[in-house]
Amino acid sequence: MSQLALKPINRPAIAIPKWDGLRRYAAGSALSSSAFILIILATLLVQSGPALFTNDLNLFSTEWSPTDGNYGIIPMIFGTLIVMSIAMIIALPLGVLSAIYIAETRSDRLRRFLKSSLEVLAGIPSIVYGLIGVAYLSIWIAKGFELQTGRVILTAGLLLALMILPTIMSLSEDAISSVSQEYRENAASLGLYHYEVIKDIVLPVAKTDIIGAGLLALGRALGETMAVMLVIGSLDRLPSPLFNVLSSSQTITSKLGREIAESAFGSTHFSVLVIMSLILVVFTLILTIAAQKLFNKEPRHA
């Protein structure tokens, strides 16, 4: 047995790769991204200076007439908020219910197929949605409500809901599917029906991620330009009455899309448009940061 004693095997030393270069590259990329954000904000602040430091502009008024020196941005801000509200009121519950149906009632194979389809829908360019809105949705709204034109706030809200619906459905389905199967089994062993398991167990656990999905979708909705611009009309004043969704209006993005190329660089008109874009960027950053905070608030349940 002594002759059969095991002897240590001399293996060549394995070189452990050094990750210092990769870490420096990753850190540099992160710093570059942060720097780009700061550069964008600084550029917007500088370009909006002529309007910010002019005392007689009265930006927060309801009158917009550059030829008369009136640059009230309230109608555009209100149009943005009401269009987003319509879109979220429609898309959020519909998206969550669809996500529950996909995650809780369909097989894995069908679920993967539906997820792929949702990702394709989310990747369709906004101009395509805009053309669909002009060709069909605006006509249906005009006929249904007996309007002269279907390019109104309601049309823009419905179209925007259609655009953000795949994002809400996909992210909400991920949140629901990530809830541990043990929760469902334990709840079922206590005698809860399937709908009770979903209502009392699954949704409360996935609630944080679902809210985050809604915020991310809302951030995308803020930046949509072409689709909204094609179907909302071009009325630079508040609706009358105020919440008349069958009136034409403007959002910040549609206003920028229509007039940014027509304004002289460095003019007051151009600076006011830059101020509106700065407001849009701040809104988007707030929503994105809030969504990330919610996603990172607690670990996902696998």
Side-chain angles (χ1 to χ4, degrees):
M1 291 297 293
S2 60
Q3 294 179 355
L4 298 177
L6 295 177
K7 296 181 179 180
I9 300 175
N10 296 325
R11 298 180 182 272
I14 300 176
I16 300 176
K18 296 182 178 179
W19 299 103
D20 292 342
L22 183 59
R23 284 198 296 266
R24 285 196 293 267
Y25 177 79
S29 300
L31 291 175
S32 299
S33 300
S34 302
F36 288 147
I37 296 174
L38 294 176
I39 290 172
I40 291 172
L41 291 174
T43 302
L44 294 176
L45 286 171
V46 170
Q47 294 300 326
S48 62
L52 287 175
F53 297 105
T54 302
N55 296 325
D56 57 349
L57 282 183
N58 196 14
L59 291 175
F60 295 100
S61 67
T62 59
E63 296 295 329
W64 178 273
S65 178
T67 55
D68 299 329
N70 297 321
Y71 295 96
I73 63 176
I74 292 298
M76 279 63 74
I77 295 177
F78 178 81
T80 300
L81 294 177
I82 193 170
V83 168
M84 288 194 309
S85 298
I86 293 172
M88 291 302 296
I89 289 171
I90 296 172
L92 187 59
L94 187 58
V96 173
L97 290 174
S98 301
I100 294 172
Y101 172 77
I102 295 172
E104 295 294 324
T105 65
R106 300 297 91 190
S107 63
D108 291 339
R109 183 176 181 181
L110 182 57
R111 188 183 307 146
R112 287 193 295 269
F113 171 76
L114 293 174
K115 285 278 292 182
S116 301
S117 302
L118 292 176
E119 291 170 359
V120 170
L121 288 175
I124 295 177
S126 61
I127 186 64
V128 176
Y129 282 104
L131 293 175
I132 294 173
V134 171
Y136 298 102
L137 190 57
S138 62
I139 296 176
W140 294 340
I141 294 295
K143 290 182 178 179
F145 292 94
E146 298 182 353
L147 304 174
Q148 292 182 348
T149 177
R151 299 185 181 185
V152 294
I153 295 173
L154 180 60
T155 307
L158 292 173
L159 184 62
L160 202 56
L162 179 63
M163 295 175 66
I164 65 175
L165 183 59
T167 301
I168 295 176
M169 290 171 61
S170 180
L171 295 177
S172 298
E173 195 277 334
D174 287 338
I176 294 170
S177 296
S178 67
V179 176
S180 176
Q181 188 65 26
E182 293 182 0
Y183 291 164
R184 298 175 174 85
E185 294 173 354
N186 292 337
S189 66
L190 294 175
L192 273 69
Y193 293 106
H194 193 190
Y195 80 91
E196 292 177 321
V197 174
I198 296 172
K199 177 175 67 74
D200 297 328
I201 304 298
V202 176
L203 288 182
V205 173
K207 177 180 65 176
T208 299
D209 288 348
I210 292 174
I211 295 174
L215 291 176
L216 288 177
L218 191 57
R220 182 196 173 186
L222 271 172
E224 293 298 341
T225 302
M226 293 305 299
V228 174
M229 187 174 71
L230 290 175
V231 299
I232 197 173
S234 57
L235 196 63
D236 296 325
R237 65 171 183 263
L238 293 174
S240 180
L242 189 60
F243 292 98
N244 179 18
V245 296
L246 299 179
S247 171
S248 297
S249 184
Q250 289 267 37
T251 62
I252 292 177
T253 52
S254 66
K255 190 67 175 176
L256 292 173
R258 284 190 173 94
E259 295 192 12
I260 194 68
E262 301 174 359
S263 58
F265 181 79
S267 64
T268 302
H269 186 190
F270 180 83
S271 296
V272 173
L273 294 176
V274 174
I275 289 175
M276 287 193 284
S277 66
L278 180 61
I279 294 172
L280 198 64
V281 169
V282 171
F283 279 170
T284 304
L285 285 177
I286 291 173
L287 290 173
T288 303
I289 293 172
Q292 293 300 325
K293 290 288 186 181
L294 284 173
F295 280 130
N296 297 328
K297 186 176 180 180
E298 54 188 47
R300 296 182 66 93
H301 304 273

